[in-house]
Amino acid sequence: MASLPHLHLIILPLLVLLASFVTPGCAVDCFLCSHSPRHNTSREDACTDFVFSSDRAGLLACELGCEAVATFDSNGELENFHRNCATGSTIMTNTCETYNMRIISRRVCSCDTSYCNTAVATTTSRSRGAPLLTLCLALGLGYILAT
């Protein structure tokens, strides 16, 4: 019975770890910006991947996740680019997919964590538990060494 006071050192980290894998019902924050080089040549691009500036992009709370979409014409020229909330038709892959159609192609990057539609490669939702797993292992090891 003397080990019962130390039981919280195991139970609490396990509960925190399990909670990290539960999908939250809350919205995620996504960057909001767009650029169409052919339609407005006077507007400076702060949205596409190589020049993205989070300071110049808006933020929006999104229920379904985030996306970054580039549309190219048949010659491979950029038609438009946007970062926004994912829509009901967005296939949530937590990566980038290219869809080739007859006269256009679209590169759609989708993700489901806050700020994931930045210019850096998308992160996967599976990586959210890694820091907590490390914490739990460290606490468990500390408990074993203390007893």
Side-chain angles (χ1 to χ4, degrees):
M1 287 306 240
S3 65
L4 281 180
H6 298 290
L7 190 59
H8 72 281
L9 293 175
I10 294 174
I11 301 285
L12 184 61
L14 287 176
L15 289 175
V16 170
L17 178 65
L18 287 174
S20 72
F21 290 108
V22 175
T23 303
C26 302
V28 297
D29 290 326
C30 301
F31 290 111
L32 175 66
C33 63
S34 65
H35 179 66
S36 298
R38 292 185 186 173
H39 299 112
N40 191 352
T41 56
S42 65
R43 190 169 140 204
E44 185 179 344
D45 176 17
C47 191
T48 58
D49 285 338
F50 296 109
V51 296
F52 177 66
S53 171
S54 61
D55 295 336
R56 296 180 56 197
L59 281 178
L60 197 58
C62 302
E63 293 296 323
L64 301 176
C66 310
E67 69 179 10
V69 179
T71 304
F72 301 92
D73 67 14
S74 59
N75 296 318
E77 295 290 323
L78 181 67
E79 283 282 326
N80 60 58
F81 186 94
H82 73 265
R83 297 177 196 281
N84 206 339
C85 296
T87 64
S89 64
T90 302
I91 300 169
M92 193 56 58
T93 61
N94 285 305
T95 188
C96 298
E97 301 288 335
T98 300
Y99 302 97
N100 294 310
M101 292 160 249
R102 188 172 276 186
I103 58 172
I104 63 168
S105 66
R106 295 180 80 216
R107 189 187 80 225
V108 179
C109 301
S110 61
C111 51
D112 60 3
T113 58
S114 286
Y115 314 110
C116 62
N117 66 335
T118 184
V120 180
T122 58
T123 58
T124 64
S125 60
R126 289 170 282 205
S127 67
R128 289 185 285 186
L132 290 173
L133 181 60
T134 303
L135 173 67
C136 290
L137 291 174
L139 289 174
L141 180 61
Y143 174 75
I144 291 169
L145 294 175
T147 56

